[in-house]
Amino acid sequence: MQVLTYLFALLLGTGLYLEFFAGLNWNSGEVILLLHIVFGLIFTALFLIWIVRHIRQGQFRSQRRLFTGLSWFLIAKYVLIITTGLLMLLPPAVYLTGTVWFWQFETTYMLTFLHLWGAIIATTGLLVHLGLRHWRKPAPSSCGGKR
């Protein structure tokens, strides 16, 4: 879990750099983009392995509605981020096969928008998720806690 958290923070940082600063120095932007892609693929693989176990162990047994709802929303956000990231990788992957193909400009804009804002919303959701209690407080015992 810590590795996923650190990778997500690194991906958020590199993604924000790409969105707001890469145009100022594209030579460093290329390196940051490559790191973002590599770390994003690693994150995707680790996340898919981890989330299956996490859902089985906790999500279906959660006792708090707010926590459960937020958790499913957060998972949906991660699916959105991963899907849009992979879709943006499709044109360079096709290029490696010898064919030049790009999304329409509007599609690229929409994918970028959803990827960036999905990540920002997921960051907020993750912070709230980690701060919420997963389980109900145990009921007080009938002897007032004394035994």
Side-chain angles (χ1 to χ4, degrees), residues 5-22:
T5 303
Y6 293 141
L7 277 173
F8 186 74
L10 183 65
L11 288 167
L12 184 65
T14 58
L16 290 173
Y17 177 86
L18 290 169
E19 181 66 24
F20 297 112
F21 302 112

Side-chain angles (χ1 to χ4, degrees), residues 2-147:
Q2 276 187 334
V3 172
L4 284 172
T5 303
Y6 293 141
L7 277 173
F8 186 74
L10 183 65
L11 288 167
L12 184 65
T14 58
L16 290 173
Y17 177 86
L18 290 169
E19 181 66 24
F20 297 112
F21 302 112
L24 302 175
N25 182 359
W26 185 239
N27 291 330
S28 67
E30 288 177 341
V31 173
I32 299 295
L33 177 61
L34 183 59
L35 290 173
H36 188 77
I37 291 169
V38 169
F39 289 136
L41 291 172
I42 293 168
F43 176 87
T44 299
L46 293 175
F47 179 79
L48 293 175
I49 293 167
W50 175 80
I51 196 65
V52 171
R53 184 174 36 90
H54 189 64
I55 288 174
R56 270 194 238 136
Q57 290 177 350
Q59 189 74 3
F60 288 122
R61 297 183 325 193
S62 174
Q63 299 172 341
R64 301 177 58 84
R65 284 183 189 244
L66 177 63
F67 180 82
T68 303
L70 179 63
S71 298
W72 284 114
F73 177 75
L74 191 56
I75 290 169
K77 281 291 156 202
Y78 278 115
V79 168
L80 174 76
I81 296 165
I82 289 169
T83 302
T84 55
L86 292 174
L87 287 173
M88 286 190 283
L89 273 179
L90 197 55
V94 170
Y95 176 78
L96 293 175
T97 68
T99 304
V100 176
W101 171 80
F102 294 101
W103 294 108
Q104 291 182 358
F105 180 75
E106 295 81 11
T107 304
T108 302
Y109 177 78
M110 179 191 64
L111 289 172
T112 304
F113 178 84
L114 290 173
H115 192 71
L116 173 67
W117 286 101
I120 291 169
I121 293 168
T123 301
T124 305
L126 180 62
L127 292 173
V128 172
H129 172 82
L130 294 174
L132 287 176
R133 208 174 55 242
H134 297 44
W135 314 109
R136 288 189 181 113
K137 287 184 179 179
S141 64
S142 59
C143 50
K146 298 177 185 176
R147 287 208 157 167

